[in-house]
DNA sequence: ACCTTAACGGGATCCAGTTCCCTTTACGTA
DNA sequence: TACGTAAAGGGAACTGGATCCCGTTAAGGT
């Protein structure tokens, strides 16, 4: 296996090209979805030669995988409210806002479509969510320490339980994603956690 | 808008061709995923002229939409256990088995990828899940009548809550889908429902 | 059983996305 | 600031999935 282009001289122009291409890819995905993603068009949007995009990324799924790796790095810090329910409501509303925002929702749909088509894009997607879940787990652990939840509660599992109903609607059932749904998602996760459903076993 | 082909003489050969093509499409999706779906190849598998496939379906997403409509019609009746938890556990295990079965899981991934790329495929997918949810709602309604759950509980919402964590792992986070996860999904839905989280507002 | 024409089938054609080849630019190092 | 070469850039050539054309088959009604 040869050195992939961009690994020997990663600075300067190479980095600028990567940033411009990922930016353009995000725009293109948000506008046209994964099926309409054309590497030549991404190159043009980025003000970059199309050969460059084909050489460095090679396929639409590989480009999406790189975009996801980039997205995983940019995390906005979560705010801290006093109680578990408040924390998880904030999380649920954040997810809901993301999945209903015109640009973000299209981007996520596209990215998940890519992950469904290609293993390396799927890996990148899983890493993205692992980062997000890791980021929110502490608020559950704090709730355990405060005595709000039974000892041994699996914090990651609780965080997943909040997002799950929202993603289920977004990707599978297509049911509306209103604020009440987000509230119920947080409420259900807390109720189940308090009942000890997420105690490790 | 002209009459679409297959609407004037829907019987005999036309029906046989549709069945053969949908069958072949399911196989192709399970083997190669949505990205690798080639209409000409589907035609060959089905023993049908490729022109026919292009004329009647026109695109990969339209073919998937038709396949979904067909899948929605074939429903296996659910079994009835005595308690809500038992019923929902059966549902969770059924979903889990579907999403971990080698053929079925690839098929669902492909179908969801198609739905992420095209609005009409998305509609077909939503109808598919609407049918499934409708099918399982009665066991929650029975639980309400038995006094297991508070009056006014939204049965559909409870059913969605069971599938959601499984689909979230399947499509987004990539975390393993073992039996314990399915058990927790059912348990969490029941705990939240008993706490009144799913009472209609 | 017969007729009309909807729908199918095979092959030629077209074109958008991709790859190839060669030139130009500028990163990294001395 | 000068040098070697990694990486980008432009355009021609290619490839295979989608479309078109036209002859063939059989569905649906009498």
């Amino acid at each position: 296996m040869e050195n992939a282009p961009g690994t020997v001289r990663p600075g300067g122009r190479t980095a600028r090209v990567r940033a411009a291409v990922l930016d353009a890819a995000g725009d293109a995905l948000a506008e046209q979805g994964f099926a309409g993603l054309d590497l030549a068009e991404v190159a043009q949007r980025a003000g970059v030669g199309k050969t460059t995009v084909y050489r460095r990324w090679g396929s639409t799924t590989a480009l999406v995988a790189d975009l996801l790796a980039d997205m995983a790095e940019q995390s906005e810090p979560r705010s801290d409210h006093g109680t578990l329910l408040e924390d998880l409501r904030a999380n649920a509303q954040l997810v809901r806002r993301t999945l209903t925002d015109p640009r973000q929702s299209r981007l996520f749909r596209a990215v998940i479509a890519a992950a469904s088509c290609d293993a390396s894009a799927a890996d990148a997607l899983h890493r993205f969510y692992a980062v997000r879940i890791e980021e929110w787990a502490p608020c559950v652990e704090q709730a355990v320490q405060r005595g709000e939840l039974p000892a041994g509660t699996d914090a990651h599992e609780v965080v997943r339980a909040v997002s799950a109903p929202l993603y289920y609607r977004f990707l599978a059932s297509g049911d509306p994603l209103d604020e009440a749904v987000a509230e119920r998602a947080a409420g259900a996760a807390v109720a189940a956690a308090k009942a000890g459903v997420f105690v490790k076993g």
Side-chain angles (χ1 to χ4, degrees), chain A residues 95-96 99-100 109 112 162-185:
Chain A
V95 172
R96 189 193 77 84
L99 297 185
T100 53
R109 220 180 277 286
I112 285 162
V162 175
S163 293
L166 305 172
Y167 275 92
Y168 177 73
R169 282 157 185 269
F170 182 64
L171 296 170
S173 81
D175 297 299
L177 270 165
D178 52 30
E179 296 205 3
V181 170
E183 293 296 308
R184 275 202 297 276

Side-chain angles (χ1 to χ4, degrees), chain A residues 81-169:
Chain A
H81 311 75
T83 68
L84 178 65
L85 183 60
E86 288 299 311
D87 285 341
L88 295 187
R89 280 176 64 188
N91 182 18
Q93 291 298 351
L94 177 65
V95 172
R96 189 193 77 84
R97 249 180 289 121
T98 303
L99 297 185
T100 53
D101 175 78
R103 181 193 149 90
Q104 297 265 88
S105 66
R106 288 161 182 275
L107 180 57
F108 271 79
R109 220 180 277 286
V111 147
I112 285 162
S116 298
C117 293
D118 179 82
S120 71
D123 280 348
L125 186 72
H126 299 162
R127 276 193 290 277
F128 173 82
Y129 284 108
V131 168
R132 288 293 133 99
I133 291 168
E134 195 65 47
E135 203 171 310
W136 283 85
C139 74
V140 179
E141 280 152 13
Q142 285 163 21
V144 173
Q145 280 160 12
R146 284 194 302 261
E148 280 192 70
L149 294 183
T153 295
D154 185 335
H156 292 178
E157 197 63 11
V158 177
V159 175
R160 288 187 197 105
V162 175
S163 293
L166 305 172
Y167 275 92
Y168 177 73
R169 282 157 185 269

Side-chain angles (χ1 to χ4, degrees), chain A residues 14-32:
Chain A
T14 299
R16 279 197 303 280
V17 165
R18 175 168 184 252
V21 168
L22 292 186
D23 225 49
D27 290 346
L29 285 173
E31 283 176 28
Q32 299 157 349

